[in-house]
Amino acid sequence: MLRLALYFPFIHVRDDAWLKMALYWPSICRLVPDGYPVRDSPTSQAFKDAGVLKDEIPGSLVHHASADLAKGLSENSHHLMTDFSLERARRDFDGRRFGDSGPEEPALGWIHRSKFPQRTLDILSDMGLATRGRGALHESLGSGDPDDWIGMHPALAGAYMSSLAKQVSDRLGLDPLTDQADLRCMTADRDVESALRLLSNSADVEQRTFREGSTSYVLMALKFVRLRNIDAIPIENDRQVPRKLIE
């Protein structure tokens, strides 16, 4: 029997065509903070209504990863503080954003507070690698309390969420999945220390952008044989289609 899957790094699935291909798995979980105002696409909503896309509150799932996350950050502190500080992210920003960065501080990758164990967040803040709060303008866009968001260098945000997804998946017996090509290889590592070591030891940091740098992580990629015209499958028009495709 196929295992269930865990979607990362975002709350909202970015690629509807990818989501249709993910029906190879019986269902797909995602980490959604309690009370978060989800705004799914019609396709994602159809999958959710059919019981294929499921929301899980981070809670204890995240806190169980605390020790490994803190250890990995501490042991890679020198490289991380040099290459992936908030100052570095702002200075090197080239206009490409990590997820829903919003109109304020678009140079940072933003992750919801509920996805950080407190010890890990304290270490990131003490190292100058994280900031809290996105501003009132972001709140007006319907993404919850601005203070619930943690800003980081986008490459570090991607590495962190990849490591967190792998640890949560290992604990629950899930397969970590992402529609972000730059992050698929990172789930090959069992712990955050390995992922952060790859991040901090990659070459040509000075010239690297988030996407360009991520190519150095390519140890393993999740590749799908993409069905022809899959975008044309009208899943959002038949809420039973997701379940029919996997039965």
Side-chain angles (χ1 to χ4, degrees):
M1 180 180 295
L2 287 175
R3 303 199 305 178
L4 306 184
L6 174 66
Y7 172 75
F8 77 98
F10 309 120
I11 294 173
H12 299 99
V13 176
R14 296 301 196 272
D15 186 344
D16 284 346
W18 174 90
L19 182 57
K20 295 173 185 178
M21 290 302 303
L23 285 169
Y24 285 113
W25 283 263
S27 65
I28 305 165
C29 303
R30 59 179 176 176
L31 299 178
V32 181
D34 189 22
Y36 183 82
V38 175
R39 303 182 307 282
D40 283 326
S41 69
T43 297
S44 291
Q45 187 62 52
F47 274 61
K48 186 174 181 179
D49 292 345
V52 177
L53 183 62
K54 300 179 178 181
D55 297 347
E56 295 289 342
I57 298 173
S60 61
L61 299 180
V62 169
H63 292 293
H64 284 298
S66 179
D68 286 341
L69 292 170
K71 179 175 181 289
L73 291 169
S74 297
E75 295 188 358
N76 290 274
S77 60
H78 175 72
H79 292 295
L80 295 175
M81 292 170 67
T82 300
D83 300 330
F84 302 101
S85 66
L86 298 173
E87 179 184 357
R88 185 66 178 270
R90 292 165 178 139
R91 186 177 73 236
D92 295 346
F93 180 55
D94 63 359
R96 287 181 287 187
R97 304 183 177 194
F98 178 87
D100 296 329
S101 58
E104 300 177 357
E105 289 276 24
L108 303 183
W110 293 92
I111 301 173
H112 197 272
R113 167 69 182 81
S114 64
K115 297 181 182 179
F116 291 90
Q118 185 59 52
R119 183 183 176 194
T120 300
L121 184 54
D122 290 342
I123 292 174
L124 286 167
S125 297
D126 291 344
M127 291 167 59
L129 298 175
T131 185
R132 185 167 183 170
R134 301 183 69 168
L137 182 56
H138 183 78
E139 183 177 20
S140 69
L141 300 178
S143 295
D145 189 339
D147 287 339
D148 284 341
W149 292 91
I150 308 301
M152 305 165 64
H153 189 294
L156 183 56
Y160 176 83
M161 285 305 302
S162 299
S163 299
L164 179 63
K166 185 67 171 75
Q167 292 198 31
V168 171
S169 296
D170 284 349
R171 179 175 179 79
L172 299 182
L174 307 176
D175 288 327
L177 298 181
T178 181
D179 53 357
Q180 303 298 299
D182 295 336
L183 301 182
R184 287 173 187 158
C185 54
M186 310 240 355
T187 55
D189 294 300
R190 287 195 56 82
D191 54 35
V192 67
E193 183 177 359
S194 300
L196 292 177
R197 187 179 299 115
L198 285 173
L199 181 67
S200 61
N201 290 340
S202 54
D204 299 324
V205 173
E206 188 65 33
Q207 301 298 322
R208 190 179 59 190
T209 64
F210 169 56
R211 291 186 180 181
E212 292 167 342
S214 296
T215 61
S216 67
Y217 307 145
V218 183
L219 305 176
M220 180 182 299
L222 173 61
K223 298 180 180 178
F224 292 119
V225 177
R226 205 174 181 90
L227 298 177
R228 181 177 300 176
N229 298 325
I230 192 169
D231 292 308
I233 298 177
I235 288 181
E236 58 270 25
N237 295 327
D238 180 353
R239 301 193 185 278
Q240 297 304 313
V241 169
R243 186 54 62 190
K244 291 176 183 176
L245 289 177
I246 63 174
E247 288 180 345

